[in-house]
Amino acid sequence: MKRQITTAILTLCALLALAATLFAQGAAAGNPAAAGKPAATGNKPKAVAVEPITDVGTVAKGDTVNHDFVIKNEGTAPLEIAQVQPACGCTVVSFDKTIAPGKSGLVHTAVDSSTFNGPIAKGVTAYTNDPEAPQIQLTIKMKVEPYISVKPGYARYIVVQGEPQDGNIAQTLWSSDGTSFDVLSVDTPLPNALKVSFREATEKERLPEIKGKQWRVEMLLSNNAPVGPLANYVTVHTNHPKQKVVQIPVSGFVRPVIAVTPPVADFGKIELKEPLKKALLVRNFATESINVTKIDNDIKGIDAQLEPVTAGREYQVRLTLKPELGKGPFNGKITVHTDSPKTPMIEVEIKGVVL
């Protein structure tokens, strides 16, 4: 009996010891520090922008400002920069794609100040493999100050191709800080349509309230300029010590003598179980009256009818697609005839697919 009690006590002690061991192992698994062992953190990168926001002060309008942002890797694994996305007006020239632990890399940016005035802030976003800093914002600040003033400072044209016009717009340039300068050359964005010239302003052309040298830049838009929008810059090169380039915006539109809207009658993919209608608008932008005399249609299954809206100014061409057009793609044209020697006819493409 005594031996049995002893055996039972020893068995109980063994079970208690085993339970204590298992408890200690479980505690160590849930909390490594509790077992007297440090937690394993693993290697990872750590991206740190040395100066995420920088102010370069006052810059001359027209200058390109270059700046290098320094990115340090304070982690224990290589830092990867996947891409750098610029904001409007800021161009990323280059960047280091991989930065070793303890090392630094560069994000090289350039800001063209030609279209800005006054205080501005332009930035880029760097995308990294740092889980705690997957995106880093980098911002460059500056104050854009023109040292050369321009009046009126822009050229806007709304003209009709082939129409007589006074397309000459003159600009007066002077130094706002009083520094004497010369205009060296002027570049035009449309060599065959927008002619530019420069010279020192005459006494009659000078702005009376402005002292010092004044320059005159003249822009002459040809009446045969291509139809379409105007959106560009005339670039003036100078020897001013603080501003070498002046950009003068050119905007507007050169209209055709006669325009058809839309310029292409695209029906897309359609089901033609019943007649389908579409209208084209013919507009005359010339000063004189122009009549649409007739229209020709070369697609069978499409009916085209001419309707005056305002005689000599606006007309409608009503198109009707009939079921007999048949299935499959179709392509042809409508020819609009006028009594104008400037634009005797206009061809409009018609296309689509009948399902």
Side-chain angles (χ1 to χ4, degrees):
M1 181 69 178
K2 186 176 181 179
R3 179 179 295 178
Q4 292 176 346
I5 294 173
T6 302
T7 302
I9 291 173
L10 292 174
T11 302
L12 179 61
C13 289
L15 291 173
L16 290 172
L18 177 61
T21 301
L22 293 174
F23 177 81
Q25 290 177 349
N31 183 6
K37 296 181 181 179
T41 57
N43 293 332
K44 63 180 182 179
K46 183 178 180 181
V48 177
V50 175
E51 191 178 7
I53 301 175
T54 185
D55 193 334
V56 298
T58 301
V59 301
K61 184 179 177 70
D63 283 355
T64 297
V65 180
N66 295 284
H67 180 73
D68 290 333
F69 289 96
V70 179
I71 307 295
K72 292 180 65 177
N73 181 6
E74 296 183 353
T76 55
L79 175 66
E80 304 288 342
I81 300 179
Q83 65 171 326
V84 178
Q85 184 67 44
C88 176
C90 186
T91 302
V92 178
V93 178
S94 61
F95 60 92
D96 293 322
K97 295 183 178 180
T98 303
I99 304 173
K103 301 295 183 180
S104 297
L106 299 177
V107 175
H108 182 64
T109 61
V111 179
D112 183 359
S113 66
S114 300
T115 58
F116 301 114
N117 285 299
I120 64 169
K122 295 297 174 183
V124 299
T125 303
Y127 296 87
T128 79
N129 66 334
D130 181 352
E132 296 182 3
Q135 298 180 21
I136 301 177
Q137 300 295 326
L138 306 171
T139 304
I140 181 169
K141 294 183 175 181
M142 69 190 73
K143 181 181 179 182
V144 181
E145 184 173 307
Y147 292 94
I148 298 177
S149 298
V150 186
K151 188 176 182 178
Y154 64 92
R156 180 167 177 79
Y157 299 93
I158 300 294
V159 298
V160 177
Q161 188 184 56
E163 287 278 283
Q165 56 182 291
D166 182 13
N168 186 44
I169 296 178
Q171 310 283 338
T172 302
L173 288 74
W174 70 94
S175 175
S176 54
D177 65 353
T179 302
S180 180
F181 75 98
D182 296 323
V183 173
L184 304 178
S185 63
V186 181
D187 299 332
T188 173
L190 301 169
N192 297 324
L194 184 64
K195 304 297 182 182
V196 294
S197 61
F198 67 94
R199 55 181 167 78
E200 193 170 350
T202 66
E203 194 63 35
K204 290 183 178 181
E205 295 167 343
R206 289 178 57 87
L207 300 175
E209 68 276 14
I210 303 299
K211 295 181 180 180
K213 214 173 211 183
Q214 296 184 29
W215 290 85
R216 187 177 176 90
V217 173
E218 294 186 346
M219 310 174 188
L220 179 62
L221 183 67
S222 168
N223 62 358
N224 290 319
V227 170
L230 298 171
N232 217 311
Y233 294 89
V234 165
T235 303
V236 182
H237 301 273
T238 82
N239 63 357
H240 191 290
K242 294 182 179 179
Q243 186 171 351
K244 304 298 183 183
V245 174
V246 179
Q247 288 195 313
I248 304 172
V250 178
S251 62
F253 202 91
V254 178
R255 291 172 170 169
V257 174
I258 298 177
V260 179
T261 308
V264 176
D266 188 351
F267 285 86
K269 295 180 179 180
I270 55 174
E271 291 186 358
L272 202 56
K273 296 179 180 179
E274 57 184 26
L276 179 64
K277 296 182 178 182
K278 189 181 186 75
L280 307 177
L281 180 63
V282 183
R283 293 185 64 189
N284 168 27
F285 291 105
T287 52
E288 72 273 13
S289 177
I290 297 176
N291 294 300
V292 176
T293 56
K294 67 173 183 175
I295 55 174
D296 293 330
N297 169 27
D298 66 0
I299 304 180
K300 294 181 178 179
I302 295 181
D303 181 49
Q305 298 293 328
L306 177 64
E307 294 183 6
V309 177
T310 303
R313 307 309 306 181
E314 288 190 10
Y315 296 81
Q316 276 194 345
V317 176
R318 295 194 176 274
L319 304 176
T320 303
L321 276 64
K322 301 178 180 179
E324 53 262 35
L325 183 62
K327 293 185 177 182
F330 60 90
N331 189 278
K333 64 184 179 183
I334 293 288
T335 303
V336 179
H337 297 269
T338 79
D339 62 0
S340 171
K342 295 178 181 178
T343 309
M345 68 177 187
I346 304 171
E347 293 183 344
V348 182
E349 182 182 8
I350 301 177
K351 63 181 179 179
V353 178
V354 178
L355 301 177

